[in-house]
Amino acid sequence: MRTLHRSTTLAAAGTAVLALALTACGGSGSGSGAKDEGAAKPAATVAAKPSKDASAPAGSGTATSVTPGGTSKGAGTGGATAVTQSAAAQQAATKSGAKDTDSYAYSHPCAGGQITVRVTKRAATQRVIEVRNTGATACGLSYYPAVDLGSSQSADQSRNVKPLVPGGLGGPPAYVLHAGRTAYAVIDLDPSGATTGTAPGIDEMNVLADGDHMPAAETKNFPLGSGAKVLEPKLGLYRATVADAVASMKQADTQS
C-alpha cells in the first residue's frame, strides 16, 4: 500500500511538470510570431508620405495619423497655406492695381518721396529731364516741370531765365505717371544755336518736377557747366518717350 501510493504521487507530479513545460513552449512560440509580424508599430514610425503624383504642388501630400480606432487620413496643411498665400497675393495685386490707374493719379499728385529726378545731356544745347515713379501707385504731374536757369553763385534768383512752353493747354488733370514708369521733358537752352547775345553767367538749371503741387523745397539743382549758352530756351511737355518730348519742345511758344 505504501509503495503504490508513492508511485501514484510521483506520476501525478510528472504529469504536472510536463503540462507546465508544454504550456511554456506554446506561449513562447506564439509570442515570437506576434513580434515578427503582428505587433503594432510605434506611432513615431508612421510618417506622412509625399504624393507620388508629379503634378501635386509642394506641401499638398496626405498626412497620416494613428488613432485608437485605427488609421485616419486627412489633407495636409501645406496645401491650405499655399492657397491662403495665393489669395493674399491676388488681393494685394488687385488693391495695388486699383491705385495704378489714370483716375487715381488725377486725384493724387506725385510727392517728392515717390519720384526721382535726373537730368542728362542729349545734344550740345539740349537736356533731358527724367522723372521716374518709384512708388507702387500712380500719381499725377503738371504738364511740364517748373524750370529756370541761373547762376549757382547768386543768391538772387529773381532774374533767372525761364523757358518758353507749349501754349493752349487746358486745366488739370495733366500727366499721369504710372508706377515704375518714367516721364521725359526736353529743354533746349539755345534753340537758335547763337553764340552771341546769350545770357551771361548761367551755369545751373533748377527743376521742380511738379510746379502745381510740390513745394519749392523739392526743387533740384543741376549744373550746366561753365560756358553754357542760353538764349530763349524752349521746354516741352512731359511725354513717355524722349522723341515725343523733343517734338513737344519744338512747339513751345508761350512764356512759362
Side-chain angles (χ1 to χ4, degrees), residues 174-186:
Y175 189 87
V176 172
L177 186 59
H178 289 282
R181 300 293 183 86
T182 301
Y184 302 93
V186 171

Side-chain angles (χ1 to χ4, degrees), residues 200-245:
I202 294 181
D203 63 357
E204 183 178 68
M205 180 166 66
N206 307 305
V207 179
L208 181 59
D210 186 341
D212 292 339
H213 303 98
M214 289 183 176
E218 294 290 349
T219 300
K220 309 296 182 183
N221 312 111
F222 299 93
L224 295 175
S226 59
K229 300 291 190 296
V230 177
L231 179 63
E232 297 181 353
K234 290 185 175 183
L235 171 67
L237 307 179
Y238 279 124
R239 290 292 183 257
T241 67
V242 173
D244 287 346

